[in-house]
Amino acid sequence: MTPSTQKPIFLTQFLIEEQRAIGEVKPDLRLLLEIVARACKRISIAVGKGALGGVLGDAGSDNVQGEAQKKLDVLSNDILMEANEWGGHLAALASEEMDEPVMIPSQYPKGGYLLLFDPLDGSSNIDVNISVGTIFSVLSCPPDHTLTPCEDDFLQPGVKQVAAGYTVYGPSTVLVLTIGNGVHQFTLDRELGSFVLTQSHIRIPEDTREFAINASNSRYWEAPVKRYIDECTAGKDGPRGKDFNMRWVASMVADVHRIITRGGVFMYPMDEKSREKGGKLRLMYEANPMSFIIEQAGGAATTGRERILDIQPSKLHQRVPVILGSKNEVERVTAYHKEG
Ligand SMILES: O=P(O)(O)OC[C@H]1O[C@](O)(COP(=O)(O)O)[C@@H](O)[C@@H]1O
Ligand SMILES: [Mg+2]
Ligand SMILES: [Mg+2]
């Protein structure tokens, strides 16, 4: 359904209607999602300023991943921290840019949720004005731990997520969200300063002719991935009997948003370069939220060997291989891994 001439449906209104429709959206969760959306609006303004806002370039510090932080990584993290720590809807939060989880300070009321986020995804694209984004995941805090949450409380499999979303800061700013009842897209109306519903109950086509992978890593790929990509690039004269196209933005949010919009398969598989770390992308605030969204839109998400949402996390900044998108292609790559 694409509301066009209809009255604009704002995020708050949409969440209230979802609360009425499925009863799942507790007021605290609605508040949390509205606060995250508001923080993303502020990040969108900062990103939009670019060189004018002095937000480009390195911050001169490294994060727990050992990666050089960009100024926008740090600024986006600060914006999300500030927006969420006083709200009364959270017990604790965790970020790609912070070593440890942050417990809500004692002077603030506590809530029942845990928020995880990648404040700025696609950092390598910041200085070259290519789309970047924010990714977030929401879990429930074990009720008896809301006052004293700990890192272990975050280590829940992706199936336990109560909400997940991402915001793309591109030509337009788009927020894509699921609370377990389908996937919905909101576009930031810059004049109104509000996110307006622009697509609901999004479905991903089960088949596709478009794959996304960083081909410069091909010499490190495992045989099943090499086979899959070789067959795609062999085109209509090859075993797949059809031509495929390739895309790689190197911002996971932008690559996944393209798949949410028109299908495709995104791969950052296990390879010899990242084997020691367990993969490139992070389970808790990249792979899990994106997998929840993809599955809610009728797609699939695996490591090549197992369903991502079933993984029992062992560490907050754990990395995993990621293969997600159009169902039939993800199942084919996964089957190739099983065949070995
Ligand atoms: O530079 P590469 O190897 O293509 O990797 C790109 C991937 O790394 C990421 O930038 C990692 O995320 P961060 O930018 O949040 O660290 C993903 O968005 C993207 O898919
Ligand atoms: Mg990221
Ligand atoms: Mg990041």
Side-chain angles (χ1 to χ4, degrees):
M1 178 201 52
T2 307
S4 51
T5 52
Q6 290 158 353
K7 259 184 343 119
I9 300 173
F10 298 106
L11 176 65
T12 306
Q13 207 181 329
F14 172 84
L15 293 172
I16 291 171
E17 278 161 20
E18 282 290 283
Q19 188 174 341
R20 289 202 195 106
I22 61 171
E24 294 287 325
V25 195
K26 299 199 180 69
D28 269 8
L29 180 59
R30 197 178 81 230
L31 176 63
L32 188 161
L33 296 172
E34 286 163 4
I35 288 175
V36 170
R38 208 175 306 140
C40 289
K41 257 194 299 190
R42 284 184 57 199
I43 297 171
S44 171
I45 293 165
V47 169
K49 286 209 180 101
L52 289 174
V55 295
L56 302 186
D58 289 349
S61 50
D62 288 355
N63 64 18
V64 62
Q65 337 269 340
E67 292 159 351
Q69 291 177 309
K70 294 282 185 181
K71 286 183 187 162
L72 265 172
D73 285 324
V74 176
L75 178 64
S76 309
N77 192 63
D78 293 347
I79 290 174
L80 281 155
M81 284 290 299
E82 277 158 34
N84 279 291
E85 70 181 356
W86 54 267
H89 49 290
L90 286 180
L93 31 78
S95 163
E96 176 196 5
E97 302 304 334
M98 300 186 298
D99 302 14
E100 316 285 331
V102 173
M103 311 311 162
I104 298 300
S106 53
Q107 71 268 33
Y108 295 132
K110 308 277 181 305
Y113 294 107
L114 302 171
L115 175 67
L116 302 107
F117 50 83
D118 175 352
L120 208 288
D121 179 66
S123 307
S124 66
N125 282 327
I126 293 170
D127 297 347
V128 290
N129 199 18
I130 291 174
S131 297
V132 292
T134 295
I135 310 173
F136 63 92
S137 167
V138 183
L139 296 163
S140 294
C141 183
D144 54 344
H145 281 194
T146 46
L147 297 180
T148 53
C150 61
E151 179 164 334
D152 284 357
D153 295 327
F154 285 87
L155 304 182
Q156 304 177 38
V159 283
K160 295 278 187 189
Q161 293 174 95
V162 293
Y166 65 77
T167 305
V168 184
Y169 311 113
S172 66
T173 291
V174 167
L175 165 67
V176 171
L177 185 64
T178 186
I179 46 179
N181 180 39
V183 174
H184 315 283
Q185 173 183 302
F186 301 82
T187 303
L188 180 61
D189 181 319
R190 296 190 191 285
E191 277 88 46
L192 297 176
S194 296
F195 281 103
V196 177
L197 182 70
T198 42
Q199 193 139 6
S200 60
H201 294 292
I202 296 169
R203 301 300 291 175
I204 302 173
E206 298 199 344
D207 292 302
T208 181
R209 292 166 177 252
E210 207 162 56
F211 65 88
I213 195 166
N214 181 340
S216 68
N217 292 328
S218 62
R219 66 189 181 282
Y220 302 116
W221 292 340
E222 297 179 323
V225 171
K226 273 205 177 97
R227 174 186 170 191
Y228 177 78
I229 299 296
D230 287 349
E231 290 181 356
C232 289
T233 48
K236 64 182 180 317
D237 306 326
R240 299 300 308 273
K242 60 180 180 178
D243 290 341
F244 281 75
N245 201 357
M246 193 196 110
R247 288 283 182 274
W248 185 250
V249 183
S251 289
M252 185 188 196
V253 270
D255 281 310
V256 170
H257 189 61
R258 185 187 57 250
I259 290 171
I260 286 283
T261 309
R262 68 180 189 209
V265 57
F266 169 90
M267 307 166 76
Y268 217 117
M270 178 57 84
D271 63 27
E272 294 322 313
K273 202 165 91 177
S274 60
R275 184 175 298 287
E276 232 172 275
K277 292 187 207 164
K280 159 89 181 191
L281 300 173
R282 283 53 61 121
L283 175 63
M284 300 307 290
Y285 39 78
E286 290 174 322
N288 269 342
M290 291 306 202
S291 301
F292 188 19
I293 292 165
I294 291 285
E295 287 202 7
Q296 281 285 313
T302 78
T303 62
R305 293 182 171 82
E306 63 182 313
R307 181 185 178 221
I308 288 174
L309 293 180
D310 290 337
I311 296 173
Q312 172 52 51
S314 54
K315 289 180 296 175
L316 191 61
H317 300 288
Q318 175 177 349
R319 299 170 186 253
V320 290
V322 176
I323 297 170
L324 56 75
S326 293
K327 199 162 176 290
N328 294 340
E329 290 306 306
V330 174
E331 287 176 356
R332 176 184 286 268
V333 190
T334 308
Y336 286 5
H337 281 77
K338 294 218 165 66
E339 286 167 27

